[in-house]
Amino acid sequence: MALHVPKAPGFAQMMKDGARYFSGLEEAVVRNIKACKEFAQSVRSAYGPNGMNKMVINHIEKQFVTSDAATIIRELDVEHPAARLMILASQMQDSEVGDGTNFVIILAGALLDASEELIRLGVTPTEIAEGFEKGLERALEILKSLVCYTVKDNRDVKEVTQAIKTSIESKQYGNEDFLADLVARACISILPEQTSFNVDNMRVCKILGSGLLSSQVVQGMVIKGHVEGEITQAEDAKIAIYSCPVDILQTETKGTVLIKTADELMNFSRGEENLLELQIKSIADAGTKVIVAGDKFGDMALHYVHKYNMMAVKFNSQCDLRQLSKTVNGTVLPKLSTPSPQELGYCDLVCVEELGDTPIVAFRQKGKESRISTILIRGASDNYMDDIERAIDDGVNTFKGLSRDPRFVPGAGATEAELAVRLLEFADTLPGLEQYAIRKFATALEAFPKALADNSGLRSQVILEKILDAHLNGQKNVGVDITAENSLVDVVEKQIFDLYQAKFWGLKYAVDAASTILRVDQIIMAKRAGGPKARGPQGSDDES
């Protein structure tokens, strides 16, 4: 008979065997801070134009090679609850702005790192969190005064290219001019007059082969694949779009037909064929030149489509079908019926082309504006093209941001350095304990110029001292020069700009995450039914 070991009275007695419970500053808060610091450190080396790539292999063995923090954290299976709070904050930044996810994680990690020293000195986490929130209010006030560039006309390709170049440069250093021009032309072509810009109207199609400089913008839509028949081109085409198969209609219920002679069999088949031909003929009589289906084309239906000189295109995705309906301004019909003039779409040119050895079907609109635009990416490998797509995605989201708020602040760490200097001055005016937290807030902001210098192989401490000295002397646009050793650069002259909205929301989300983590004084982890699982970012036993 097994010996019964009694549990200690208190909270542990109420939990299942194997449950873990941490409380107090030393156990709960410091453990959380340690986990978040290590997680932030893992993505900090990916920050900036010279950031290192990470190789991430996810749970289904898919491999990613990228420096994009949003992709890295999306594919990681982090289990530590405090680190997950940082991830949630960065995901909110991604959904709100579309860029700056690494900014949120690095700042939240730096804030928690700075707060650990104050906790050791006896300042309570609640006082630190309140100080951070007060520092955030002041930082957002200062941020408004740092605006150094405003896009006056968001339909001017040159002006927009200059604005979005920095966000693309952080992912594709060296290719930023070419990619920024591509993204600017593609975005401006689909910018509506009345409503706001929609990111979903920008498509990316990746074609293996050639090089990046062979990439191009297509006004309209491009899909990989081939047409279903022999007709491969249609100009000034009216398009009928169906989400159903183009084939003989199937009855909803099963039926039995008794056929006794060969004539009866011939007549039965002929009746179905005549009905199908009448349907295809009525579609052709409506002026249709192209039939697009979200399902298969039957052999008999394809025969009649050819007979009436129509082009047949099959789409494998209902999402692509909806985007095509936007491109050609047509209606997706749920069943094979004659479309009305209002339901037919229109396209200047539908054709089959070949890029490398990949066949594509292009729906091209020759006008200056279209509702959907596609960037055709060329490259030597799938991983490389995936990384180009992420850089383009950042550029498109920056365009979305500037179409709402066209203000930009200095990049290259200049904004963070100026905020750090101004917050230190603000802390000197405060009498209470929150001044210590605000000083640590300023120290946390210094992590960005240091990260840019470190990742570029420069002496970060020397660079930081020079930048802070320049900002103390009123040079608020001085940042890190990653092209020269231990030197500074005027970011306005070099035209290195960060979106104001990205900095605004990044500061808010990072401080909110850090304050939430600091206010946790107990971690209660119930026993898992399936036994121990993989650990979180630091691989220790203080995760759930």
Side-chain angles (χ1 to χ4, degrees):
M1 180 176 172
L3 179 66
H4 174 69
V5 180
K7 289 185 182 179
F11 191 87
Q13 198 173 36
M14 295 185 279
M15 303 294 286
K16 286 183 179 180
D17 289 336
R20 287 176 291 160
Y21 168 62
F22 305 102
S23 67
L25 297 183
E26 286 301 315
E27 277 197 304
V29 179
V30 175
R31 280 170 182 265
N32 284 343
I33 288 173
K34 183 183 176 187
C36 294
K37 276 166 52 181
E38 293 194 18
F39 181 65
Q41 196 63 38
S42 67
V43 294
R44 178 175 165 169
S45 59
Y47 184 71
N50 290 324
M52 300 293 285
N53 285 342
K54 310 294 181 191
M55 183 179 288
V56 182
I57 301 169
N58 67 7
H59 62 287
I60 58 171
E61 300 297 319
K62 185 176 180 183
Q63 181 177 301
F64 298 83
V65 180
T66 181
S67 63
D68 181 38
T71 304
I72 294 166
I73 64 176
R74 186 171 59 246
E75 299 304 328
L76 286 177
D77 187 16
V78 177
E79 291 193 358
H80 193 285
R84 286 186 65 80
L85 283 172
M86 290 172 62
I87 289 173
L88 288 171
S90 70
Q91 287 172 344
M92 283 302 299
Q93 171 81 355
D94 194 32
S95 62
E96 182 69 38
V97 183
D99 194 12
T101 49
N102 210 345
F103 178 89
V104 173
I105 291 176
I106 292 173
L107 181 54
L111 286 170
L112 291 169
D113 187 15
S115 64
E116 186 176 4
E117 185 182 341
L118 292 179
I119 290 170
R120 304 278 189 201
L121 292 172
V123 183
T124 65
T126 305
E127 289 169 332
I128 297 170
E130 288 173 356
F132 284 166
E133 286 162 2
K134 195 163 188 176
L136 173 66
E137 289 178 16
R138 179 63 180 158
L140 295 181
E141 289 173 13
I142 297 167
L143 193 65
K144 293 177 184 175
S145 67
L146 300 183
V147 173
C148 63
Y149 181 72
T150 303
V151 176
K152 297 179 177 62
D153 180 10
N154 58 4
R155 293 182 184 275
D156 182 348
V157 174
K158 187 177 179 182
E159 202 173 351
V160 170
T161 299
Q162 193 56 60
I164 66 177
K165 189 168 72 173
T166 304
S167 64
I168 293 174
E169 186 177 29
S170 65
K171 299 286 187 300
Q172 285 294 320
Y173 185 46
N175 298 320
E176 65 274 8
D177 291 321
F178 176 74
L179 287 174
D181 181 61
L182 274 187
V183 173
R185 287 190 286 114
C187 291
I188 290 169
S189 70
I190 58 172
L191 181 64
E193 292 285 349
Q194 303 295 331
T195 55
S196 60
F197 177 79
N198 186 359
V199 174
D200 294 334
N201 291 345
M202 267 292 308
R203 284 177 54 86
V204 171
C205 184
K206 295 172 283 191
I207 308 289
L208 203 61
S210 191
L212 176 62
L213 297 181
S214 300
S215 302
Q216 58 182 283
V217 177
V218 174
Q219 301 303 323
M221 188 169 168
V222 174
I223 61 162
K224 290 182 189 178
H226 211 282
V227 293
E228 290 296 304
E230 297 173 2
I231 300 172
T232 57
Q233 183 167 320
E235 293 186 12
D236 299 326
K238 290 184 178 179
I239 302 173
I241 309 171
Y242 297 97
S243 58
C244 61
V246 178
D247 200 357
I248 295 170
L249 292 175
Q250 302 293 324
T251 55
E252 292 183 6
T253 57
K254 290 184 178 180
T256 302
V257 178
L258 186 61
I259 297 175
K260 295 179 180 179
T261 65
D263 288 338
E264 288 179 357
L265 178 61
M266 292 294 289
N267 291 333
F268 179 77
S269 300
R270 192 175 294 116
E272 279 193 323
E273 290 168 13
N274 291 340
L275 181 62
L276 182 61
E277 183 178 6
L278 285 172
Q279 286 177 322
I280 301 294
K281 185 177 184 301
S282 67
I283 294 170
D285 290 343
T288 307
K289 286 189 178 180
V290 180
I291 295 182
V292 178
D295 211 322
K296 66 173 184 175
F297 280 84
D299 292 338
M300 187 59 64
L302 205 55
H303 165 71
Y304 291 124
V305 168
H306 286 164
K307 181 179 177 181
Y308 292 103
N309 294 317
M310 289 188 289
M311 186 174 174
V313 184
K314 178 188 171 186
F315 274 41
N316 294 319
S317 165
Q318 292 296 321
C319 178
D320 288 348
L321 210 60
R322 286 194 296 273
Q323 286 197 317
L324 177 67
S325 73
K326 278 187 183 179
T327 306
V328 301
N329 198 21
T331 304
V332 181
L333 300 173
K335 65 178 183 177
L336 197 63
S337 58
T338 307
S340 65
Q342 293 77 22
E343 291 169 337
L344 284 171
Y346 175 81
C347 188
D348 292 320
L349 176 64
V350 183
C351 60
V352 176
E353 300 174 8
E354 196 167 292
L355 291 175
D357 60 351
T358 306
I360 61 169
V361 181
F363 293 81
R364 295 179 179 271
Q365 302 285 23
K366 294 180 180 177
K368 288 186 178 179
E369 294 185 4
S370 66
R371 299 180 70 185
I372 300 286
S373 188
T374 303
I375 296 180
L376 281 174
I377 300 176
R378 307 300 308 279
S381 70
D382 288 327
N383 270 325
Y384 178 68
M385 290 191 294
D386 287 343
D387 221 27
I388 297 292
E389 183 181 6
R390 294 181 197 109
I392 288 172
D393 185 56
D394 281 355
V396 171
N397 279 294
T398 302
F399 182 83
K400 179 189 76 172
L402 73 86
S403 66
R404 295 175 179 173
D405 186 342
R407 293 177 292 174
F408 286 79
V409 293
T415 297
E416 292 83 356
E418 181 66 16
L419 286 174
V421 168
R422 300 273 286 273
L423 283 175
L424 284 172
E425 293 172 359
F426 175 61
D428 291 337
T429 65
L430 298 173
L433 284 174
E434 63 263 24
Q435 66 171 293
Y436 298 107
I438 293 172
R439 288 180 190 280
K440 291 298 182 185
F441 195 152
T443 304
L445 286 165
E446 293 170 5
F448 293 96
K450 286 180 73 174
L452 285 170
D454 281 332
N455 295 342
S456 301
L458 309 176
R459 295 168 65 190
S460 58
Q461 198 56 45
V462 173
I463 291 287
L464 182 62
E465 288 171 5
K466 287 183 178 179
I467 288 178
L468 294 178
D469 186 52
H471 281 262
L472 283 168
N473 292 325
Q475 300 175 46
K476 66 179 183 178
N477 294 328
V478 169
V480 180
D481 186 359
I482 62 172
T483 60
E485 187 174 348
N486 299 335
S487 64
L488 309 182
V489 65
D490 187 317
V491 296
V492 175
E493 286 182 11
K494 284 273 188 176
Q495 296 184 318
I496 304 169
F497 306 120
D498 287 337
L499 189 65
Y500 171 84
Q501 286 289 308
K503 289 282 187 264
F504 178 88
W505 288 107
L507 287 165
K508 280 184 72 71
Y509 289 137
V511 172
D512 285 350
S515 299
T516 304
I517 291 165
L518 284 171
R519 287 192 166 106
V520 172
D521 72 335
Q522 292 184 353
I523 311 171
I524 304 162
M525 292 177 283
K527 181 184 177 186
R528 292 183 182 275
K533 289 181 72 175
R535 296 301 178 199
Q538 80 265 37
S540 66
D541 61 356
D542 54 342
E543 299 105 306
S544 73

